[in-house]
């Protein structure tokens, strides 16, 4: 990643690598790198009546469902303008995987690189989309980013269509998106590489609530019985982008109020409440009803984080979830794992992935670094 020059006010990207993979497979301590890049544009503050928590508190769940429907229609329009018909027909597949908790299985969207006959791909990237557990999908919302990912690092991308708070159940069993991501992990490890003609090497990526679900799913996979290979020997790295790791609210979330854009602290706390409440609706066990928002099964910040793959944690300084990423990075490192952090000055929630800052220079550079991080870990493994 190169520094850039511009007449715009300059911001900073801090890259901290406590550990770095080297050809000799040793861990070396390095100093933070500071890159300079134009400060990203600031998203205008929306009217209070358009904020998610205000919509829900004033008009209830029906209004929230309508808002989610409008969001999905926007994603479909975005898809048609960002993905060519040829790519949609030849490089994107839908698939339903078996699941132990859902009679309907788990839907995924699979993205493939441009055709390279008789060539094994470098591996598989598990992808978990964001959307505050209330909206988003594995195709219309993220197809352009998943296609970029598969082309850049030469993998098959498997994006999970997990259950959402706004559309969950519908007669199909208990709301458990972590289990649905876990079912996708199982499929990738057991049959995914053979079916998709890839090497049995895996990386994973998630944004916002997707990073939350991804980390919880990886913790469950790590704690499975020992008939499988250890997690960190199979999954080469995790790309965790501005995730929500403490659903009780870190200081930067709780003190933000309605200040930040495109999403504020009060909206994040509302989304966390909706997610936690939906989980509790299906829990009739007397012991489980006592679980609070800081339980390790709800907030990975409070979990045992040992024996996890190397991680890249990315966040912007203008994101209410700033503390979530900084606190998690500290705990991840103290638990004995390799971790890199990328901190983007002026970066809001969505930097490099959605909103006004998706295609800003800083957003593009942050996104590029995440792709190169995953590529580096894949290539290091396949070269041994």
């Amino acid at each position: 990643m190169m520094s850039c020059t511009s007449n715009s006010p300059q911001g900073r990207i801090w890259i901290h690598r406590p550990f770095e993979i080297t050809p000799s497979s040793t861990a070396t301590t390095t100093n933070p790198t500071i890159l300079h890049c134009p400060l990203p544009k600031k998203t205008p503050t929306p009217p209070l009546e358009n904020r998610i928590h205000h919509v829900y508190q004033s008009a209830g769940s029906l209004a929230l469902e309508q808002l989610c429907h409008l969001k999905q229609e926007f994603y479909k329009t975005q898809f048609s303008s960002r993905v060519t018909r040829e790519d949609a027909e030849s490089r994107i597949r839908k698939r339903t995987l078996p699941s132990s908790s859902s009679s309907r299985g788990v839907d995924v969207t699979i993205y493939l690189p441009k055709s390279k006959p008789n060539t094994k791909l470098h591996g598989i990237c598990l992808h978990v989309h964001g959307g505050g557990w209330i909206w988003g999908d594995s195709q219309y919302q993220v197809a352009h980013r998943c296609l970029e990912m598969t082309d850049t690092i030469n993998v098959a991308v498997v994006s999970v269509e997990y259950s959402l708070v706004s559309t969950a159940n519908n007669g199909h069993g208990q709301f458990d998106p972590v289990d649905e991501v876990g079912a996708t992990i199982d499929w990738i490890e057991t049959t995914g590489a053979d079916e998709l003609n890839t090497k049995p090497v895996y990386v994973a990526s998630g944004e916002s609530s997707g990073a939350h679900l991804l980390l919880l799913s990886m913790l469950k996979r790590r704690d499975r019985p020992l008939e499988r290979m250890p997690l960190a020997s199979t999954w080469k790295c995790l790309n965790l982008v501005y995730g929500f790791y403490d659903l009780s609210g870190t200081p930067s979330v709780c003190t933000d109020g309605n200040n930040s854009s495109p999403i504020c602290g009060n909206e994040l706390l509302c989304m966390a409440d909706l997610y936690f409440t939906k989980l509790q609706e299906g829990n009739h066990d007397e012991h489980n009803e006592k679980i609070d928002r800081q339980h390790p099964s709800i907030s990975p910040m409070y979990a045992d984080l040992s024996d996890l793959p190397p991680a890249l944690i990315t966040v912007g300084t203008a994101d209410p979830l700033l503390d979530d990423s900084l606190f998690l990075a500290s705990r991840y490192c103290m638990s004995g794992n390799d971790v890199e952090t990328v901190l983007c000055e002026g970066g809001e929630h969505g930097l490099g992935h959605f909103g006004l800052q998706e295609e800003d220079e800083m957003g593009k550079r942050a996104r590029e670094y995440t792709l190169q991080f995953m590529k580096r870990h894949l290539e290091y493994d396949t070269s041994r």
Side-chain angles (χ1 to χ4, degrees):
M1 185 187 292
M2 303 293 290
S3 60
C4 53
T5 58
S6 169
N7 293 327
S8 303
Q10 293 292 292
R12 291 162 290 181
I13 301 175
W14 293 272
I15 300 174
H16 184 62
R17 304 184 188 94
F19 302 93
E20 185 175 41
I21 289 178
T22 67
S24 61
S25 190
T26 59
T28 59
T29 303
T30 60
N31 294 320
T33 300
I34 300 177
L35 305 176
H36 295 276
C37 197
L39 282 169
K41 303 182 198 70
K42 189 178 186 311
T43 302
T45 302
L48 178 61
E49 57 268 23
N50 291 348
R51 295 286 200 180
I52 294 166
H53 63 291
H54 188 272
V55 170
Y56 180 71
Q57 291 167 1
S58 61
S61 58
L62 181 59
L64 185 63
E65 289 177 14
Q66 292 172 341
L67 181 62
C68 293
H69 175 74
L70 291 173
K71 198 80 170 178
Q72 189 62 18
E73 292 303 309
F74 167 76
Y75 291 143
K76 289 180 179 179
T77 302
Q78 175 180 265
F79 174 86
S80 63
S81 66
R82 290 182 165 182
V83 177
T84 66
R85 179 176 294 182
E86 179 183 0
D87 281 345
E89 292 175 352
S90 64
R91 300 176 57 198
I92 301 176
R93 304 177 186 172
K94 302 295 288 188
R95 175 74 188 270
T96 300
L97 308 179
S99 169
S100 60
S101 66
S102 173
S103 59
R104 63 182 177 85
V106 179
D107 293 331
V108 298
T109 304
I110 298 171
Y111 299 87
L112 299 170
K114 293 176 181 176
S115 181
K116 296 179 180 178
N118 303 318
T119 302
K120 268 190 182 290
L121 302 178
H122 286 168
I124 296 175
C125 178
L126 168 66
H127 175 258
V128 191
H129 69 80
W133 310 282
I134 65 173
W135 60 46
D137 73 316
S138 65
Q139 180 176 356
Y140 298 113
Q141 177 194 18
V142 296
H144 59 301
R145 290 287 154 251
C146 289
L147 288 172
E148 177 185 50
M149 195 183 308
T150 189
D151 285 336
T152 303
I153 61 179
N154 193 34
V155 294
V157 175
V158 179
S159 187
V160 189
E161 191 82 8
Y162 58 84
S163 298
L164 302 173
V165 169
S166 54
T167 59
N169 294 348
N170 295 326
H172 295 296
Q174 185 174 330
F175 173 70
D176 194 350
V178 173
D179 185 78
E180 292 167 334
V181 177
T184 309
I185 292 173
D186 290 344
W187 178 80
I188 288 173
E189 290 187 352
T190 55
T191 62
D194 289 338
E195 289 195 27
L196 299 177
N197 192 31
T198 79
K199 297 174 182 177
V201 181
Y202 315 120
V203 297
S205 180
E207 309 92 40
S208 192
S209 56
H212 163 265
L213 296 174
L214 173 59
L215 188 50
L216 286 178
S217 301
M218 287 293 170
L219 289 167
K220 287 186 72 173
R221 161 61 181 86
R222 180 202 61 189
D223 294 338
R224 295 267 180 85
L226 296 178
E227 67 265 14
R228 293 195 189 182
M229 292 181 65
L231 178 69
S233 67
T234 305
W235 292 84
K236 301 308 170 185
C237 68
L238 307 181
N239 176 38
L240 303 173
V241 185
Y242 48 74
F244 202 160
Y245 308 116
D246 180 358
L247 271 62
S248 67
T250 54
S252 61
V253 170
C254 293
T255 60
D256 184 68
N258 298 324
N259 291 326
S260 293
S261 295
I263 193 166
C264 67
N266 284 339
E267 289 177 292
L268 290 166
L269 291 171
C270 176
M271 290 173 168
D273 285 345
L274 291 168
Y275 172 79
F276 181 75
T277 300
K278 178 63 73 172
L279 282 178
Q280 294 301 94
E281 284 178 3
N283 273 337
H284 303 297
D285 182 83
E286 182 177 344
H287 174 72
N288 285 341
E289 288 178 356
K290 298 177 183 177
I291 291 177
D292 64 19
R293 286 165 176 76
Q294 292 187 352
H295 191 276
S297 67
I298 303 295
S299 295
M301 186 78 75
Y302 301 96
D304 170 11
L305 298 178
S306 61
D307 301 317
L308 291 174
L312 174 65
I313 298 175
T314 304
V315 71
T317 61
D319 191 332
L321 289 170
L322 173 63
D323 284 350
D324 284 68
S325 286
L326 296 182
F327 294 173
L328 182 74
S330 177
R331 289 215 59 235
Y332 210 90
C333 183
M334 291 175 66
S335 298
N337 307 302
D338 292 1
V339 60
E340 294 187 23
T341 55
V342 173
L343 184 61
C344 301
E345 186 175 9
E348 300 171 341
H349 197 70
L351 176 76
H353 289 269
F354 69 86
L356 195 62
Q357 295 186 353
E358 178 175 1
E359 293 299 337
D360 258 359
E361 186 68 22
M362 188 173 288
K364 289 190 287 187
R365 288 174 178 272
R367 191 173 69 245
E368 175 193 352
Y369 191 82
T370 66
L371 295 172
Q372 293 306 316
F373 172 84
M374 290 188 285
K375 185 176 182 179
R376 169 160 49 99
H377 281 270
L378 278 169
E379 291 181 347
Y380 171 74
D381 184 84
T382 56
S383 68
R384 287 187 293 175

